[in-house]
């Protein structure tokens, strides 16, 4: 029996989130389908804007050492405030949500003082009634968290390659070679070095919310204790896109995805029953206005 479209698309996107530049053949082997099916469906998803495959630079490499999740309550309509937030260069994600907050934002900045300045600007914006921030203390899982640890020099050619891959993470080595005036073999070696050193991560970003194919929900967990079973569940579950321990209004934040409300409820209830969970709050992503992890690298 051929795979059902929704199930197959979800598996294909998950494979691309693990390895954004995987070949059609490798994806077909991973998913147990034909190469032709993978090529055709991926072409449709990319052309339709349902999925983007992009490169992101490690936050630490570019000095973004402080990351925070901010919940915003409003006294006016949510979308005008949310659209204003998309203009903040420090915001990598802006989403209008259903739940007690009207908007959630992820901020990435260099210092805690810079975070305080950004939060002050947000708090002063007309229509913002209240904000609550949670600083990430440990990222457990995230497709755009490459965890740069190796001191790898990045020159001007690398910067041009990274810029191209931030626009389209599946740009062919031949096209990249033409861009920088080197051989495809040399370019492949450079991109492989950047990936292996975790300078960049290439992964898939999927449209979600009311205008997307999948449902997405954020959860905040208050914990009686940090239990290994909980951390293992979050790190290992395919439907968990992001998870981080936090300091602030809750102990842990995660993003859960599903194809239907029934599946989403089941996954949330599973979290509620895990050891150490004392309280769970949730918000549904209704309209994702910004999800942009592309940031330039300082000139060498």
């Amino acid at each position: 029996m051929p795979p059902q479209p929704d199930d197959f698309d979800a598996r294909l996107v998950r494979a691309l989130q693990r390895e954004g530049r995987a070949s059609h053949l490798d994806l077909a082997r991973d998913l147990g389908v034909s190469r032709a099916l993978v090529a055709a469906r991926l072409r449709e998803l990319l052309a339709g804007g349902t999925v983007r495959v992009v490169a992101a630079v490690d936050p630490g490499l570019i000095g973004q050492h402080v990351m925070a999740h901010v919940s915003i309550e409003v006294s006016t309509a949510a979308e005008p405030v949310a659209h204003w937030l998309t203009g903040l260069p420090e915001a990598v994600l802006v989403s209008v949500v259903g739940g007690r907050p009207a908007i959630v934002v992820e901020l990435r900045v260099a210092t805690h003082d810079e975070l305080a300045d950004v939060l002050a600007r947000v708090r002063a914006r007309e229509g913002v009634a209240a904000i609550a921030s949670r600083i990430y203390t440990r990222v457990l899982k995230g497709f755009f968290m490459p965890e740069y640890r190796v001191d790898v020099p990045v020159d001007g050619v690398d910067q041009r390659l990274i810029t191209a891959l931030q626009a389209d993470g599946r740009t062919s080595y031949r096209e990249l070679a033409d861009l920088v005036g080197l051989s495809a073999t040399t370019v492949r070696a450079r991109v492989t070095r950047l990936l292996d050193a975790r300078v960049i991560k290439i992964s898939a970003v999927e449209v979600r919310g009311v205008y997307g194919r999948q449902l997405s929900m954020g959860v905040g967990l208050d914990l009686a204790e940090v239990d290994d079973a909980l951390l293992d569940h979050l790190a290992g579950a395919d439907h968990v896109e992001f998870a981080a321990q936090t300091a602030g209004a809750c102990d842990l934040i995660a993003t859960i995805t599903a194809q239907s409300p029934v599946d989403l409820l089941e996954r949330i209830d599973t979290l509620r029953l895990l050891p150490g969970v004392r309280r769970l709050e949730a918000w549904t992503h209704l309209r994702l206005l910004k999800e942009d992890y592309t940031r330039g690298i300082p000139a060498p």
Side-chain angles (χ1 to χ4, degrees), residues 72-73 75 81 84-85 88 116-131:
I72 300 172
E73 297 182 39
S75 57
V81 178
W84 175 81
L85 290 164
L88 295 178
D117 288 342
V118 177
L119 293 178
R121 276 186 279 149
V122 173
R123 193 177 287 108
R125 172 61 162 83
E126 182 181 357
V128 172
I131 66 174

Side-chain angles (χ1 to χ4, degrees), residues 255-277:
T255 302
I256 310 297
T257 62
Q259 301 301 314
S260 71
V262 173
D263 290 340
L264 202 56
L265 176 59
E266 180 181 345
R267 289 165 182 177
I268 294 299
D269 276 345
T270 298
L271 276 180
R272 284 193 177 98
L273 297 175
L274 287 173
V277 175

Side-chain angles (χ1 to χ4, degrees), residues 41-239:
R41 189 58 189 145
L42 180 55
R43 184 167 55 249
E44 291 174 3
L45 292 173
L46 293 173
T50 303
V51 174
R52 294 178 294 126
V53 179
V54 296
V57 179
D58 183 273
L61 180 65
I62 55 178
Q64 294 179 331
H65 301 293
V66 179
M67 293 177 280
H69 178 281
V70 183
S71 301
I72 300 172
E73 297 182 39
V74 297
S75 57
T76 61
E79 288 214 22
V81 178
H83 280 289
W84 175 81
L85 290 164
T86 64
L88 295 178
E90 300 88 353
V92 297
L93 182 146
V94 179
S95 182
V96 179
V97 300
R100 181 178 177 185
I103 305 165
V104 296
V105 182
E106 182 180 309
L107 300 174
R108 295 186 180 183
V109 295
T111 65
H112 290 280
D113 286 343
E114 186 177 346
L115 176 62
D117 288 342
V118 177
L119 293 178
R121 276 186 279 149
V122 173
R123 193 177 287 108
R125 172 61 162 83
E126 182 181 357
V128 172
I131 66 174
S133 59
R134 305 160 173 94
I135 296 174
Y136 302 155
T137 58
R138 178 190 175 196
V139 176
L140 303 171
K141 183 176 185 179
F143 296 119
F144 289 102
M145 298 292 177
E147 298 179 355
Y148 172 72
R149 296 192 184 96
V150 181
D151 185 14
V152 174
V154 176
D155 62 17
V157 172
D158 292 330
Q159 288 184 322
R160 292 171 67 191
L161 292 173
I162 291 169
T163 298
L165 291 168
Q166 286 179 325
D168 180 359
R170 293 186 66 82
T171 302
S172 71
Y173 290 117
R174 171 51 56 197
E175 291 173 298
L176 293 171
D178 291 342
L179 176 67
V180 298
L182 297 173
S183 70
T185 300
T186 300
V187 165
R188 180 190 290 269
R190 280 180 173 261
V191 172
T192 299
R193 175 176 61 88
L194 294 171
L195 290 168
D196 288 347
R198 301 180 182 180
V199 172
I200 59 172
K201 175 70 180 289
I202 299 175
S203 188
V205 177
E206 185 175 13
V207 175
R208 54 184 144 183
V210 172
Y211 298 96
R213 184 187 57 80
Q214 71 171 350
L215 300 175
S216 182
M217 179 170 281
V219 296
L221 302 175
D222 286 343
L223 306 177
E225 59 181 355
V226 178
D227 189 280
D228 288 342
L230 171 63
L231 302 184
D232 290 345
H233 172 82
L234 293 171
D238 282 344
H239 59 268

